[in-house]
Amino acid sequence: MTHFLADDGTKIHVKISGEGSPLVMLHGWTSSHQEWFPFLPALQQKHRVYRWDARAHGGHPIADQAPATAQRMARDLENLLEHFNLENVCAVGHSMGALTLWQYIRDFGTRRLSRLCIIDQSPKLLTDENWEHGIYGKFDQGQAKELMNLLREDFAEGVLKLTAFGLNRRARDKYLANASGWERSRLALRAQNPEPLIACWNSLTAADYRDVLSQIDLPAMLVYGGESNFYRVETAHYVASQIPNAVLHIYEGTDHSPHQWQRERFAKELMDFIDQLT
């Protein structure tokens, strides 16, 4: 694990492997660079892969860090690209990572990027009377406030319930049965410092990137779970309809992490997507 310094002096961890054109991979909320480990054997054969721990995530110390807002993480991404002098980057973002990319494009444009891969995300998480493509299709300010209270009371359980009591029935059943995978996730979440992650979540739910989508002048690959915990298939089609050069893949039967359930397919489709443009 190496690092670079963000422009506020914060040390950001990043794992680098492979040789070839640059591939930057941004993980989801409460996750780390390890999210991308299963794909390295395929990806690093032809690409130099950069996997960071976003600030407040992974192994970062918390004491002297600025809050991990969407704006700050987008700036961190620009700092990463500058530090390693990266151009013509394929950037992959899952969940929070996708929001970070949309914020980055709003703030810094697409000059350093060549293509984009977005995994299972809505440009606006909270719903209202005029927007139904957010979390669950019905997650408004009132529900967001309830979740924030739960996160402050029991962070791990709040995150698990957000995932379990959504659109994926299997997730609900597994949670209620306290399946081993859920218990492992619970223990991992309890090992994390909740306050900076709660502040991060608050920033993500306040964001609205609907206006950014039409400004994306790059080829974009979109990957959505056919049974996502959070988003209906209509959300995937909405995002695809708003990005001018987007190709949409629905991974049937998969949840909010479709790439993890169909790893070989994702690695192949991502490689094909990159190769057809080089």
Side-chain angles (χ1 to χ4, degrees):
M1 182 74 78
T2 185
H3 70 272
F4 65 95
L5 291 180
D7 58 16
D8 67 347
T10 298
K11 182 183 291 186
I12 305 293
H13 299 158
V14 59
K15 191 79 169 177
I16 305 171
S17 60
E19 296 296 335
S21 62
L23 178 57
V24 174
M25 310 190 81
L26 309 181
H27 61 76
W29 183 57
T30 74
S31 188
S32 75
H33 73 280
Q34 295 183 15
E35 174 176 340
W36 306 110
F37 180 78
F39 308 100
L40 290 182
L43 299 179
Q44 67 188 5
Q45 293 181 31
K46 297 179 66 176
H47 303 286
R48 190 154 180 82
V49 183
Y50 297 77
R51 300 175 292 139
W52 77 0
D53 286 341
R55 67 171 60 212
H57 292 73
H60 287 133
I62 301 300
D64 59 349
Q65 283 196 338
T69 63
Q71 293 83 357
R72 182 60 256 185
M73 289 186 289
R75 192 162 191 85
D76 291 343
L77 177 57
E78 174 69 359
N79 293 163
L80 181 153
L81 300 182
E82 289 176 340
H83 178 83
F84 294 106
N85 193 27
L86 301 183
E87 304 283 350
N88 297 315
V89 172
C90 176
V92 180
H94 172 224
S95 194
M96 180 185 79
L99 298 176
T100 303
L101 288 174
W102 287 331
Q103 181 72 47
Y104 176 85
I105 291 170
R106 171 178 285 167
D107 294 344
F108 299 99
T110 60
R111 180 180 63 84
R112 291 182 179 271
L113 307 178
S114 62
R115 63 220 72 176
L116 207 62
C117 176
I118 298 296
I119 304 175
D120 210 65
Q121 188 54 284
S122 167
K124 184 177 186 295
L125 275 59
L126 298 191
T127 60
D128 56 40
E129 63 274 12
N130 299 312
W131 176 249
E132 61 180 9
H133 292 305
I135 295 173
Y136 309 157
K138 54 174 185 177
F139 191 81
D140 59 18
Q141 288 283 357
Q143 289 168 291
K145 184 177 180 179
E146 290 178 8
L147 175 62
M148 287 295 289
N149 291 335
L150 179 55
L151 290 172
R152 292 190 176 103
E153 291 172 5
D154 187 335
F155 177 74
E157 218 58 39
V159 174
L160 295 182
K161 287 183 176 180
L162 174 69
T163 305
F165 294 103
L167 303 176
N168 187 298
R169 183 179 296 275
R170 290 196 307 274
R172 180 190 299 257
D173 292 343
K174 293 285 188 181
Y175 173 83
L176 294 174
N178 197 28
S180 59
W182 287 85
E183 181 59 20
R184 286 194 298 272
S185 295
R186 182 178 288 109
L187 294 174
L189 288 165
R190 285 177 177 167
Q192 300 191 50
N193 186 335
E195 285 306 316
L197 294 172
I198 292 171
C200 179
W201 174 256
N202 195 43
S203 168
L204 301 180
T205 55
D208 183 351
Y209 300 111
R210 288 176 290 181
D211 63 311
V212 174
L213 301 185
S214 62
Q215 301 171 24
I216 297 174
D217 56 356
L218 307 170
M221 171 178 158
L222 311 179
V223 178
Y224 283 77
E227 296 179 20
S228 172
N229 310 70
F230 306 122
Y231 306 116
R232 300 173 300 174
V233 172
E234 288 82 1
T235 298
H237 286 287
Y238 169 84
V239 175
S241 73
Q242 298 301 302
I243 299 177
N245 297 302
V247 56
L248 173 61
H249 301 279
I250 302 292
Y251 286 22
E252 297 295 344
T254 68
D255 60 18
H256 181 55
S257 297
H259 56 310
Q260 298 291 359
W261 288 101
Q262 297 188 23
R263 290 174 176 175
E264 290 185 7
R265 175 184 175 182
F266 173 74
K268 181 180 185 305
E269 289 182 340
L270 179 60
M271 294 282 280
D272 289 347
F273 173 66
I274 296 172
D275 290 347
Q276 70 186 8
L277 299 166
T278 55

